[in-house]
Amino acid sequence: MNNGLGRRAAVLGSPIAHSKSPALHRAAYAALGLTEWTYDALETTADQLADRVGSAGPEWIGFSVTMPCKSAALAFADTVTERAELIGSVNTLVRSDGGWRADCTDVDGVTGAIAQTGLVEPPTRAVLIGAGGTARPALAALAEAGVTDVIVVARDAGRAAGLLILADRLAVNAHVVGFAPTDRLRAECAAADITISTVPAAGAAVLAPSVAASARLIDVIYDPWPTPLAAAVADAGGVVVGGLVMLLNQAYSQVAQFTGSPAPKAAMAAAVGIDTD
């Protein structure tokens, strides 16, 4: 598939205008010499995803998928990778001989972000804020990193039920606490090796007094930046890794799957202002 013929790809979601995925993928295609390839951002709701992808002509080779389309992409796909099926979340659709193959490279994104926190020893305890679509690959990445105990911070314990089932499949002990700044949450953040927030910046802001106790924070948000959580942890002397690092690392795998070539990491990082040296 890696040739100079015109191919098309895009990121699907709503809202999508803020996405930096086009900058990442276009930089990758240019570095790989795929000068006739294009990558766009297409406003797409979950209800529109099946028609959008199903009507894509043969020039379309792949789609990045963001909220609120991840579950719809999983339902639409003809084949699903083992990890995407386990996690129950999809952020990548790749055209294959058998139709559209779904994957979840968000796991790679969180794994890369964890590495950027500077952890020397494998983490064993984590706090995970949120129980939505991005929390699932975050939990999977934490399990791969060695985490055995996770505190899930959720507004609705019922909504976290699926995440707890996934934790059980991953052999991770997970417990839910309420979505409020409490002494317990502050203690859990202080004791954790790492805290990951998967919640929009404004919604998570109320937790800042407790999350400030975290030694390391990954916030999957990159716009706006810094988030209230990122600012609170940085002001307290903790290490903060933002959503651009996660976005970059998940895009490496997408580019490789779309083009059939290793991702040109330096060119992609430079496109979003990240120094990889």
Side-chain angles (χ1 to χ4, degrees):
M1 189 178 291
N2 186 0
N3 54 59
L5 298 177
R7 295 289 186 268
R8 300 186 69 184
V11 57
L12 309 180
S14 182
I16 204 63
H18 70 285
S19 177
K20 293 189 182 296
S21 289
L24 288 170
H25 283 258
R26 290 168 186 169
Y29 303 161
L32 292 171
L34 303 176
T35 56
E36 311 240 344
W37 286 44
T38 64
Y39 187 100
D40 299 298
L42 302 178
E43 188 77 17
T44 306
T45 66
D47 290 340
Q48 294 169 335
L49 180 133
D51 285 342
R52 171 82 75 184
V53 181
S55 63
E59 72 277 14
W60 287 91
I61 48 85
F63 293 95
S64 308
V65 181
T66 188
M67 298 303 291
C69 297
K70 294 185 176 184
S71 295
L74 177 62
F76 172 83
D78 299 291
T79 58
V80 182
T81 63
E82 184 176 345
R83 66 178 178 179
E85 184 172 11
L86 172 66
I87 295 166
S89 180
V90 164
N91 78 322
T92 306
L93 290 170
V94 185
R95 190 184 290 279
S96 66
D97 291 340
W100 290 96
R101 184 184 77 250
D103 191 21
C104 185
T105 71
D106 280 334
V107 178
D108 305 322
V110 179
T111 296
I114 292 172
Q116 284 291 107
T117 64
L119 276 167
V120 177
E121 298 293 331
T124 59
R125 300 180 65 174
V127 172
L128 179 58
I129 302 171
T134 307
R136 289 172 171 268
L139 181 61
L142 287 169
E144 285 185 4
V147 168
T148 56
D149 295 276
V150 173
I151 295 296
V152 177
V153 184
R155 298 182 190 278
D156 181 353
R159 188 164 182 256
L163 196 63
L164 297 182
I165 292 171
L166 175 60
D168 187 60
R169 292 173 180 166
L170 296 169
V172 172
N173 298 314
H175 302 279
V176 179
V177 301
F179 204 96
T182 62
D183 290 341
R184 180 189 176 184
L185 179 57
R186 184 174 180 83
E188 294 288 0
C189 288
D193 297 297
I194 195 163
T195 298
I196 299 180
S197 176
T198 65
V199 176
V206 67
L207 302 178
S210 295
V211 175
S214 304
R216 300 169 191 85
L217 170 73
I218 296 172
D219 196 323
V220 306
I221 303 302
Y222 60 83
D223 184 18
W225 189 261
T227 65
L229 295 190
V233 173
D235 288 347
V239 174
V240 176
V241 175
L244 273 182
V245 173
M246 178 183 167
L247 182 73
L248 179 64
N249 279 273
Q250 64 82 31
Y252 291 154
S253 183
Q254 285 186 341
V255 166
Q257 292 187 54
F258 289 177
T259 68
S261 297
K265 295 182 177 181
M268 293 173 68
V272 290
I274 294 179
D275 185 357
T276 57
D277 293 334

